[in-house]
Amino acid sequence: MASILRVDTLTDASSNNSIATSIIYGGAVRSWVNFDASATGAAARDSFNVSSMADRGTGLSTITLSNAMNNSNYAGTTSCMGTWADDDGRNYIAVAMPKDTNEIYVNQFTTSGSDADGAYVGVHITGDPA
C-alpha cells in the first residue's frame, strides 16, 4: 500500500534550517547531464532523468528525458568547453532549447559562430514536471 506524507516545511534536526516544500517543487533541477559531444553518439558521462541522447550532426545533440516536463516552456542552462580538462576550449558556447515536453536540443558552437562538438557539455533543466 502506498503512503502519502504531507508537509508544508522541511527542517533539519535542530530546526535551524528550513525550507518550504513549494520551493523544492518549483526550483529543483529536473534533469542534468554531463556529456561529450565530440565522442561518437554524444556519450553521457553521468546524468539524472535522461533516458537517451542523440548526435544530430556537428554541434547538434538531442537529450531525451526519462520523465517528461509539464509543458515545453521549461528552462535549460548550459556550460561547454571544446576540450576536456584543458582551458584551450574556453571559446565554446552551448544553448539548450526545449523541443517538446521530453526532448531538448543542445547546440554547441564556437564564439566565432562555427558549429562545433564540445568535449565537455553540461546541461541543467528546470521547470514543472509532468
Side-chain angles (χ1 to χ4, degrees):
M1 176 181 356
S3 298
I4 297 174
L5 177 64
R6 292 189 170 118
V7 297
D8 294 324
T9 304
L10 297 175
T11 188
D12 65 13
S14 62
S15 295
N16 290 326
N17 301 297
S18 62
I19 189 166
T21 55
S22 60
I23 299 288
I24 295 169
Y25 181 81
V29 171
R30 305 300 178 198
S31 177
W32 62 264
V33 63
N34 171 333
F35 71 98
D36 184 352
S38 67
T40 303
R45 290 185 184 91
D46 200 0
S47 66
F48 170 72
N49 193 27
V50 172
S51 63
S52 65
M53 296 189 64
D55 184 346
R56 300 186 342 267
T58 302
L60 304 172
S61 304
T62 299
I63 299 168
T64 302
L65 301 176
S66 302
N67 298 295
M69 301 299 285
N70 188 47
N71 57 52
S72 59
N73 296 319
Y74 52 89
T77 56
T78 60
S79 59
C80 186
M81 288 182 64
T83 56
W84 176 250
D86 185 357
D87 64 359
D88 289 344
R90 62 185 170 266
N91 294 322
Y92 278 58
I93 299 167
V95 177
M97 301 172 296
K99 177 184 175 226
D100 54 34
T101 59
N102 71 332
E103 285 190 320
I104 301 103
Y105 285 153
V106 181
N107 298 351
Q108 309 116 63
F109 44 93
T110 65
T111 55
S112 64
S114 301
D115 293 340
D117 288 329
Y120 176 89
V121 183
V123 179
H124 292 102
I125 301 300
T126 56
D128 295 331

